[in-house]
Amino acid sequence: MTTRGGLYDEGVVFELPKNSTTITTLATFSGATGMYPGGVIIDGQGNLYGATGYGGGPNGTGGGTIWKLAKGSGTITVLASFPSNANIVNTLGMAADAQGDLYGTTMGGGATGQGTGWGLVKGSNSITTLASFGGTNGASPYGNVLLDAQGDLYGTEL
């Protein structure tokens, strides 16, 4: 991922094949598909998933997107958009469970404005707030998240 560059200067998904020095742009982000992507994960079929910090929603003015790039496709598919009050989606990392459900965090929004843990069930376009950060339990989470075998979500904040 790059957070800038591409046709709209809003980031790209790229590939750098092993033993190569050539970077290939696989897809470009725009306001509608999201802006300023971050970390990416890959499933067993080679599909890529990630989140953007901004964009999506009507006219690219949303609070970020959760997206998919199917293997062999050059088209970013928006799986869900965050509302504009999500206040910066944490794009450093997300996690997927065995069913293909996705999990991550936002740095703002939620009950106290200090961030949330979220989930997106595979096949749904509705992001669920799992919990809100409130200061004493952390604030503005910004780092990778991990899932254990029981489905417990772990992460850190800055």
Side-chain angles (χ1 to χ4, degrees):
M1 310 299 310
T2 67
T3 57
R4 300 303 299 255
L7 296 174
Y8 308 101
D9 198 29
E10 294 171 352
V12 303
V13 180
F14 70 88
E15 176 183 25
L16 178 60
K18 184 176 182 177
N19 299 321
S20 175
T21 59
T22 303
I23 296 170
T24 302
T25 299
L26 301 177
T28 299
F29 288 90
S30 67
T33 58
M35 301 161 40
Y36 318 128
V40 63
I41 60 174
I42 190 167
D43 68 14
Q45 291 75 46
N47 302 309
L48 302 175
Y49 297 86
T52 65
Y54 300 95
N59 303 315
T61 60
T65 64
I66 302 169
W67 56 268
K68 174 183 178 179
L69 180 62
K71 183 177 181 173
S73 169
T75 302
I76 295 168
T77 301
V78 174
L79 301 176
S81 291
F82 288 90
S84 58
N85 65 353
N87 296 331
I88 308 175
V89 176
N90 171 11
T91 59
L92 283 186
M94 70 170 57
D97 65 16
Q99 292 74 40
D101 302 332
L102 301 172
Y103 300 90
T105 58
T106 63
M107 292 178 57
T112 66
Q114 297 181 54
T116 67
W118 57 262
L120 178 66
V121 174
K122 184 177 181 177
S124 170
N125 65 355
S126 180
I127 299 165
T128 301
T129 298
L130 304 173
S132 291
F133 290 91
T136 57
N137 66 350
S140 302
Y142 194 66
N144 289 326
V145 294
L146 301 170
L147 284 170
D148 68 14
Q150 291 73 41
D152 299 321
L153 187 66
Y154 295 90
T156 61
E157 64 170 304
L158 286 179

